[in-house]
Amino acid sequence: MSEQGKGSASASTAAPAPGSDTYKGWLFKWTNYLKGYQRRWFVLSNGLLSYYRTQAEMAHTCRGTINLATAHIDTEDACNIVLSSGGRTYHLKASTEVERQRWVTALELAKAKAIRMMNDQSDDSGDEEPTSQSDRSEIQGTLKILVSKLDDLSTCNDLIAKHGAALQRSLSELEGLKVPLEGGEKIKAVNERATLFRITSNAMINACRDFLDLAETHSRRWQRALQYEREQRTHLEETIEQLAKQHNSLERAWREAPTHVSSTPSAPTNNQGSGRVNKEEASDEDEDTEYFDAMEDSPAFITVTTSESTQHRRSQSNLSGASGGQASDWNQDDPMSPSCNDVSGKELQPRRQRRTRIPDKPNYSLNLWSIMKNCIGKELSKIPMPVNFNEPLSMLQRLSEDLEYHELLDKAARCESSLEQMCLVAAFSVSSYSTTVHRTAKPFNPLLGETYELDRLEEFGYRSLCEQVSHHPPAAAHHVISQRGWTLWQEITIASKFRGKYLSIMPLGAIHLQFHSSGNHYVWRKVTSTVHNIIVGKLWIDQSGDIEIVNHKTKETCQLKFSPYSYFSRDVPRKVTGVVADSGGQAHYILSGTWDDKIESSKIIQSSRGGSGSEGKQKTVYQTLSPKLLWKKYPLPENAENMYYFSALALTLNELEEDVALTDSRLRPDQRLMEDGRWDEANAEKQRLEEKQRAARRKREAEATDALDEGREYEGYQPLWFHQRRNSVTGETNFVYKGGYWEAKEQQDWSMCPDIY
C-alpha cells in the first residue's frame, strides 16, 4: 500500500505515560482509498489494541481489536505505525514523531506483557464459558487461598526472624568465649550463613507479598474485562436478532407490496403528504440513527414545514418536500416559482431534428473474471480493455452530458437573488449524476488531442468544447459559453481504481461557473462514483461524498451531502440533502431530494437548536415554507435498456455532424464500429489507435532526449485549444480555453489538427 495513495493526516493525542497499564489517544487509521485516513480513538489495555470512532463509543461499540501478543510492530516513516496480526493489518498515523514514539513504546511494552501472560497461562485449562457467578466465586476463592498462604508465609517469616536473631545472639556469645582458634573460625562462618539465610528469607517474603498484590490487581481487571466481553457478546446477539427480524419484516413488506415505491406523483395531495409525515413521526424515537455514519463534521438538521393554514408538520430533511402547498410570500414571477420551474419546456428556437435511437446493444458473452483478475490495484486508464466493457461514447462526450439540464443555469442567470441562484446552481450540480444511475459501462478513454464539440447555439444558446489535454494522467478540459448569461469551464482528471468487488471513480479538479450580469463566480468539485458487484451480481452505481459550492464574490456557500447506499438505512436511496447559507453562515434554504430523480428547495423562515443527537451534538431545527421543485429528471427514451440506458441527449452526442474538427470524437473509428454493433472490428481498431498513440509518445520522448543532448529547450506536447493559466479566484493552475476553435470551424480550416485517427 503506497503512501501516495494514503495521503497524510495529523491529530493531537492526549494519553497517559507509556508505562501505565492503559494507553489512550487519537490516531489516524487508514480505511480505504475512498476515505483515506480517518480519525479514531485508540485504547491499549491488557495486551489488546482496540479502536472506536469516538470516545463515547467505548461504552457500547468496538470497531476492531488486535492482539499484540501475536502482532508485528513496524514503523514506516516518521509518523506511521503498521500493526499486523493473523492477516489483519492496521496502518496508523500519529500527529508527530514524538507522539508516534510514545505509541511505539507503549505498544512494545504491552506486547512484552501480553507474551508473558500468554506463556504463563499456556497450561491453564477450564470451562470456556463459566457463568458469571461461578467465575466470581472461583476468583474470590483463589484470592482467599493466596491470602491464607501469604499469612502462613508471614508467620514463618516472623518465626525465622525470631529464631535467626536468637541464633545470631548465641553465636555472638560463643565468639566471646575462649575457644581454640579453629572453633572460632567455624562459629564465625556459621554466623555469616545465618545472616545470609535471614536476608534471603526476607526477600522471599517480600516477593510473595508483591505477587499477591499483582494477583489482586490483575484479577479485578480480568474480572472487569470478562464481564465487558460478556456484555458485548450479549449486545451483539441482540443486535443480530434485531437485524434478522428487520430483514424478515422487509421481506414480508416487499412480498405484500412490491410496487410500493414505484413512482412519485408530481403533485401529491395533502393526504399523501400527511401520511409520509406520520410514518416519520412514528420512527422519531430513534432519530439519531438517521445521521449514523455521516461524515463527522457534517451538520444534522430537522425541518418543520409550515403550510398555509399554519399547521406545523414535522419531518426529516429528506421528507421536507412532501407537501405540494404554495408559499405565501413567493409570487409567480419569481425565478424559483413553479411557473418558472417547468423543466419540460425548451423554448425560443425550433429544434433541429436529431436522432432518437441508436442500434441495439449486441448480446455478447464475455468471461469478466479472466480479464479482471490481473487488473486488481492498477490504474483503470492503463488497463487495455475490450470494448465489451464500454459504451459508444468517449469521456469527453460524458463530460458534455453535464449540460443536459442547462436550462437550470439559464434560470439562474435571470435570478436577482444570489441565494436563489445558488439553489439552482446546486440543483444543476446534482443533475449531472442523474444519467449515471443505470450507466455502469465505461466510456472510451480519449486519445491525446481528441476533441468534442457540442454546438447548440441556435437551439439553446450555448456552445461546448472539450479537449483531452493530457494522457498520463488522463485530463480533459471543458469550456461552455452561453448567450443566456453564463460561462462554465472545468479541468477534470479521472482517478480510478479496481478493488476486486467494486470500482471507484474519483474525479479530480474544480468546476467553475460565472454569470455575466452579476459576476457571481461559483466553484465546486464532483463526488466519488462507485460501481459495485464487479465480479458477482448485478452491476449498480452509487454516488457518495460531499460537495461544497462557494460563490467567491459573495462568499455564500452550499453544503450538499450525497448519502451512500445502506441496506439498513431508513432513508430513501440516493438521497441528497443540502443547506444554502450566506457569508455569515446563516442558513436560508434547505435542499432535499435524490440525485436520480429530483431536487427541491425550502425557504427557511426560522431556526432553533433542537435536542442532542449522536456524540452529544445538537441538531438544528429549521422551520421552512413549502418546498419548490428545482429540478426533475427527464424520463428515459423508449427502449433505453437496449441502447446502453442513454438519455435523449446522450443518443445525439455521437450523431455525425458536418464541419466538426478532424479530432472530434464522432470521427473516432473504434467508437463508431462499436455503436454499429461490430464489436470484433471495434476491438481491433481500438488496439490500432492505442498503438498509434504509444508510437507518437515514444517519438516525443525521443525528441525530448535529443533536445536535452543538444542543449536545446523542448516544449513538449501542447494542447491545441486550451492553455494553462493561474486562476485569480482559487489560485489553482489549470487549462482554460484560449479561443480560436469556433473561428476555425467557421473558416473550415483544420490544418492545425494532429492526425490521431
Side-chain angles (χ1 to χ4, degrees):
M1 186 180 298
S2 66
E3 282 303 313
Q4 185 179 2
K6 299 175 192 172
S8 62
S10 63
S12 59
T13 306
S20 60
D21 292 333
T22 302
Y23 195 69
K24 304 177 182 178
W26 290 104
L27 287 174
F28 274 80
K29 178 182 178 294
W30 175 257
T31 55
N32 52 50
Y33 277 85
L34 293 177
K35 297 183 178 180
Y37 280 100
Q38 295 293 317
R39 191 167 181 254
R40 297 291 183 259
W41 180 255
F42 280 83
V43 177
L44 174 59
S45 180
N46 300 319
L48 300 176
L49 180 66
S50 305
Y51 74 92
Y52 311 82
R53 281 188 176 164
T54 62
Q55 299 182 46
E57 278 195 348
M58 291 177 61
H60 54 81
T61 305
C62 178
R63 298 290 173 175
T65 302
I66 195 166
N67 189 352
L68 294 178
T70 58
H72 175 70
I73 303 174
D74 190 19
T75 54
E76 289 186 345
D77 57 23
C79 296
N80 281 53
I81 307 171
V82 180
L83 298 176
S84 56
S85 175
R88 179 182 300 177
T89 302
Y90 288 173
H91 290 264
L92 311 176
K93 185 181 285 290
S95 57
T96 63
E97 186 174 359
V98 174
E99 191 61 43
R100 192 281 307 266
Q101 189 56 44
R102 290 177 182 171
W103 273 101
V104 171
T105 303
L107 290 170
E108 293 287 0
L109 291 174
K111 179 180 178 181
K113 291 181 181 180
I115 292 174
R116 286 199 301 270
M117 292 172 60
M118 185 174 63
N119 293 335
D120 293 341
Q121 298 174 357
S122 59
D123 295 331
D124 291 349
S125 60
D127 295 335
E128 290 184 0
E129 296 182 0
T131 62
S132 178
Q133 186 62 36
S134 63
D135 182 64
R136 273 198 295 269
S137 301
E138 181 181 356
I139 293 175
Q140 292 172 357
T142 303
L143 286 176
K144 287 181 180 179
I145 295 174
L146 288 172
V147 170
S148 64
K149 294 297 182 183
L150 183 63
D151 292 337
D152 293 342
L153 287 172
S154 298
T155 303
C156 293
N157 180 59
D158 294 336
L159 292 174
I160 289 172
K162 179 181 178 181
H163 292 303
L167 177 60
Q168 284 186 329
R169 285 196 302 273
S170 299
L171 291 173
S172 298
E173 293 172 358
L174 286 175
E175 287 181 10
L177 298 176
K178 294 182 179 180
V179 294
L181 181 62
E182 183 179 353
E185 292 178 353
K186 289 184 178 180
I187 291 173
K188 186 177 181 180
V190 172
N191 193 10
E192 291 175 353
R193 291 194 180 105
T195 302
L196 291 173
F197 177 74
R198 187 189 64 182
I199 294 173
T200 305
S201 299
N202 289 338
M204 180 189 69
I205 295 300
N206 292 334
C208 291
R209 183 176 287 107
D210 293 340
F211 170 76
L212 180 61
D213 292 340
L214 287 173
E216 289 176 341
T217 302
H218 284 287
S219 64
R220 287 192 294 270
R221 185 176 295 114
W222 292 336
Q223 189 172 357
R224 288 196 302 268
L226 184 63
Q227 183 63 26
Y228 175 76
E229 291 299 328
R230 286 202 186 93
E231 293 173 356
Q232 288 292 92
R233 186 189 64 184
T234 303
H235 178 69
L236 181 61
E237 290 174 348
E238 293 173 354
T239 302
I240 293 175
E241 182 179 1
Q242 184 180 4
L243 291 177
K245 291 179 180 178
Q246 291 179 356
H247 182 75
N248 291 335
S249 64
L250 285 172
E251 287 184 340
R252 288 196 301 271
W254 178 254
R255 286 194 297 266
E256 293 171 1
T259 59
H260 179 59
V261 205
S262 58
S263 62
T264 303
S266 57
T269 64
N270 291 335
N271 292 336
Q272 289 172 326
S274 60
R276 293 180 66 181
V277 171
N278 292 337
K279 179 180 178 181
E280 186 59 40
E281 288 179 350
S283 62
D284 278 343
E285 64 187 38
D286 194 25
E287 67 179 3
D288 286 346
T289 58
E290 294 286 342
Y291 308 93
F292 182 76
D293 203 23
M295 295 192 67
E296 295 177 358
D297 297 329
S298 63
F301 55 85
I302 300 171
T303 62
V304 179
T305 304
T306 303
S307 64
E308 287 185 349
S309 60
T310 68
Q311 179 182 4
H312 293 252
R313 295 175 299 190
R314 188 176 187 278
S315 69
Q316 295 290 348
S317 59
N318 65 310
L319 296 180
S320 63
S323 170
Q326 300 294 324
S328 58
D329 62 344
W330 282 13
N331 57 49
Q332 295 298 315
D333 295 330
D334 193 298
M336 298 178 67
S337 66
S339 63
C340 293
N341 240 351
D342 183 11
V343 297
S344 62
K346 292 186 176 181
E347 68 282 4
L348 297 185
Q349 296 291 338
R351 296 188 184 184
R352 168 185 164 182
Q353 190 66 32
R354 300 188 183 274
R355 68 182 187 180
T356 58
R357 65 172 295 108
I358 60 174
D360 288 355
K361 177 182 178 181
N363 187 18
Y364 286 139
S365 61
L366 183 67
N367 187 352
L368 181 64
W369 177 243
S370 64
I371 297 173
M372 286 295 193
K373 65 182 179 181
N374 296 321
C375 302
I376 297 177
K378 295 182 180 179
E379 180 69 31
L380 187 66
S381 61
K382 298 180 181 179
I383 299 173
M385 289 282 191
V387 299
N388 305 58
F389 299 113
N390 288 52
E391 61 180 17
L393 290 178
S394 74
M395 180 59 72
L396 303 182
Q397 291 165 312
R398 285 293 291 267
L399 270 181
S400 302
E401 275 193 79
D402 289 356
L403 301 171
E404 178 146 14
Y405 299 94
H406 60 89
E407 64 270 10
L408 290 171
L409 301 184
D410 297 341
K411 294 184 180 70
R414 300 194 298 268
C415 282
E416 296 181 0
S417 167
S418 58
L419 290 170
E420 294 176 3
Q421 189 178 75
M422 174 71 83
C423 292
L424 289 166
V425 172
F428 174 78
S429 69
V430 175
S431 70
S432 63
Y433 298 98
S434 63
T435 62
T436 66
V437 63
H438 300 297
R439 302 271 290 278
T440 55
K442 174 181 175 293
F444 280 79
N445 290 330
L447 302 173
L448 184 62
E450 184 175 334
T451 61
Y452 181 74
E453 69 163 68
L454 186 63
D455 190 349
R456 297 291 191 266
L457 190 63
E458 295 181 357
E459 298 161 276
F460 306 123
Y462 71 85
R463 276 176 163 176
S464 165
L465 176 65
C466 294
E467 181 179 5
Q468 187 75 0
V469 295
S470 173
H471 188 60
H472 287 304
H478 185 202
H479 181 268
V480 191
I481 186 167
S482 172
Q483 293 180 338
R484 300 180 186 177
W486 53 270
T487 300
L488 181 144
W489 69 96
Q490 59 180 317
E491 178 193 334
I492 296 295
T493 299
I494 301 295
S496 49
K497 289 290 184 179
F498 175 59
R499 292 297 168 195
K501 292 183 180 179
Y502 61 89
L503 174 69
S504 298
I505 304 169
M506 295 150 284
L508 309 176
I511 303 172
H512 296 256
L513 172 65
Q514 188 167 21
F515 290 98
H516 303 163
S517 59
S518 64
N520 289 333
H521 187 158
Y522 298 87
V523 180
W524 71 92
R525 300 174 189 273
K526 290 179 175 287
V527 296
T528 297
S529 302
T530 307
V531 182
H532 295 270
N533 294 344
I534 293 293
I535 302 301
V536 179
K538 183 179 179 181
L539 291 175
W540 61 280
I541 196 166
D542 194 21
Q543 315 288 347
S544 60
D546 293 338
I547 292 180
E548 181 184 38
I549 306 175
V550 180
N551 183 342
H552 284 273
K553 180 181 178 182
T554 64
K555 306 304 179 184
E556 296 162 349
T557 60
C558 175
Q559 301 287 343
L560 289 174
K561 178 174 180 57
F562 288 65
S563 300
Y565 174 78
S566 174
Y567 180 80
F568 300 105
S569 174
R570 292 176 297 169
D571 289 335
V572 293
R574 310 179 186 98
K575 172 186 171 185
V576 179
T577 55
V579 178
V580 175
D582 59 22
S583 58
Q586 181 179 356
H588 288 265
Y589 290 94
I590 295 295
L591 304 180
S592 61
T594 58
W595 53 263
D596 68 326
D597 184 23
K598 65 179 179 179
I599 291 293
E600 297 173 327
S601 69
S602 303
K603 188 173 184 179
I604 298 172
I605 58 176
Q606 185 178 351
S607 64
S608 60
R609 304 299 292 178
S612 297
S614 60
E615 306 180 17
K617 294 181 180 179
Q618 282 189 323
K619 291 182 180 179
T620 302
V621 178
Y622 293 123
Q623 186 177 356
T624 68
L625 297 175
S626 299
K628 303 299 177 185
L629 181 67
L630 296 179
W631 160 77
K632 186 169 180 60
K633 179 186 176 183
Y634 299 139
L636 288 175
E638 186 180 356
N639 196 39
E641 64 276 7
N642 295 321
M643 297 185 295
Y644 308 90
Y645 286 99
F646 280 177
S647 64
L649 174 63
L651 288 173
T652 67
L653 291 180
N654 207 41
E655 184 177 10
L656 286 172
E657 293 189 11
E658 298 178 353
D659 304 332
V660 297
L662 303 178
T663 53
D664 197 274
S665 299
R666 298 176 179 87
L667 305 178
R668 181 167 173 166
D670 54 347
Q671 189 172 298
R672 180 64 55 189
L673 288 168
M674 183 192 178
E675 182 183 286
D676 293 339
R678 299 153 63 183
W679 284 16
D680 292 337
E681 298 174 61
N683 277 319
E685 191 64 21
K686 183 172 182 286
Q687 292 182 11
R688 183 190 70 81
L689 292 174
E690 291 173 351
E691 181 55 39
K692 183 175 182 178
Q693 181 171 238
R694 283 190 286 269
R697 185 179 71 249
R698 288 193 294 266
K699 180 180 179 182
R700 287 193 298 270
E701 291 172 352
E703 292 174 351
T705 303
D706 293 342
L708 182 62
D709 293 340
E710 298 173 5
R712 293 184 292 105
E713 183 177 348
Y714 182 73
E715 187 178 22
Y717 178 80
Q718 295 297 323
L720 197 56
W721 309 111
F722 290 81
H723 56 182
Q724 281 190 316
R725 289 292 182 269
R726 185 178 181 273
N727 188 278
S728 59
V729 174
T730 63
E732 298 177 347
T733 300
N734 45 35
F735 283 94
V736 295
Y737 179 58
K738 65 181 180 181
Y741 180 88
W742 304 109
E743 292 79 4
K745 180 180 179 180
E746 184 176 351
Q747 299 171 9
Q748 277 302 291
D749 179 13
W750 302 118
S751 58
M752 72 293 290
C753 292
D755 178 18
I756 60 174
Y757 299 143

